[in-house]
Amino acid sequence: MTVESSKRYADHLAAEAIERAVHSVTIGYRLTLAGAPPVEVASWHQDPTLELYTVRVRAGDDETTLTVPKWGSRTDEIGVFLRQWITAHVHLEQSKLRKRSRRPDPFWVDAWRRAHPWL
């Protein structure tokens, strides 16, 4: 295996780890909240307009992209970053906690409660 192919393989694995971390956050968001503003995820293998090994997250007109050079060695920080980013870009006032959710994400339950302090 050449050095270049070895780096490409490592980048691919890092990008998959980024994608898993992003989906972990967004799946928890969707499974916990009903009627919440949509948060969309697209990765390099789904959207040909994205650079190789890039994951894009959109909330309304806002978006952030996560790349291997910036996040590949920091995948453990993605959950915190992305939860804060989504919270700053969506309004949960019209949302409800999803009934019968098996495992609601505690972060999104708390975010919902902060958006509904009167309840």
Side-chain angles (χ1 to χ4, degrees), residues 32-54:
T32 303
L33 302 170
V39 174
E40 301 169 359
V41 176
S43 58
W44 76 97
H45 51 84
Q46 298 166 320
D47 184 343
T49 65
L50 289 173
E51 288 185 35
L52 190 62
Y53 307 137
T54 299

Side-chain angles (χ1 to χ4, degrees), residues 63-80:
E63 69 178 49
T64 187
T65 54
L66 291 87
T67 63
V68 169
K70 184 171 181 181
W71 291 99
S73 63
R74 301 171 42 216
T75 55
D76 57 326
E77 299 173 31
I78 291 173
V80 171

